[in-house]
Amino acid sequence: LKDSKNLILVYARGLCCPSCSLGVRKTMSRLSFVDIEQPKKGVILDAKHQLVHVLLKPGAEVVTDDIWQAIDDAGYDPVTIYRNTASGVETEQYKSEP
């Protein structure tokens, strides 16, 4: 992650099977900032670690609410987004509504 500018990682609790997690790729690849020209439509799944690697279009603005919603719509629990910034790797925790 530290060497990638156009990549974010999303920890999605419950993402444990590569076959079951294909819904994540389907919902995430619909987001405007995801680079679907990249392999696997810009969404690489790591079921072993419950991570979604999202390849971004250069210069695109990431809308985290859209990420949370896409993960939830696919049937998984969004937990944390990891992104590389000028000051290092930053995390953002999902805040569910009360």
Side-chain angles (χ1 to χ4, degrees):
L1 179 63
K2 289 182 181 181
D3 297 329
S4 302
K5 293 180 182 176
N6 293 325
L7 170 71
I8 60 171
L9 300 177
V10 183
Y11 171 56
R13 187 178 299 123
L15 186 77
C16 58
C17 166
S19 300
C20 299
S21 60
L22 292 178
V24 172
R25 179 173 293 127
K26 186 176 179 180
T27 59
M28 294 292 291
S29 64
R30 293 179 185 154
L31 301 177
S32 64
F33 47 84
V34 176
D35 190 352
I36 60 171
E37 299 300 319
Q38 294 296 320
K40 302 191 183 239
K41 295 188 177 185
V43 182
I44 300 168
L45 307 167
D46 178 354
K48 180 179 178 182
H49 298 102
Q50 301 182 70
L51 289 172
V52 181
H53 301 240
V54 184
L55 302 165
L56 307 171
K57 292 177 182 175
E61 183 177 332
V62 176
V63 181
T64 55
D65 286 342
D66 291 350
I67 294 173
W68 301 132
Q69 188 64 53
I71 297 290
D72 187 59
D73 288 350
Y76 299 93
D77 295 324
V79 179
T80 308
I81 293 176
Y82 303 90
R83 71 175 88 209
N84 191 20
T85 66
S87 58
V89 176
E90 292 183 358
T91 62
E92 181 178 341
Q93 300 295 316
Y94 177 66
K95 295 173 183 73
S96 60
E97 295 180 27

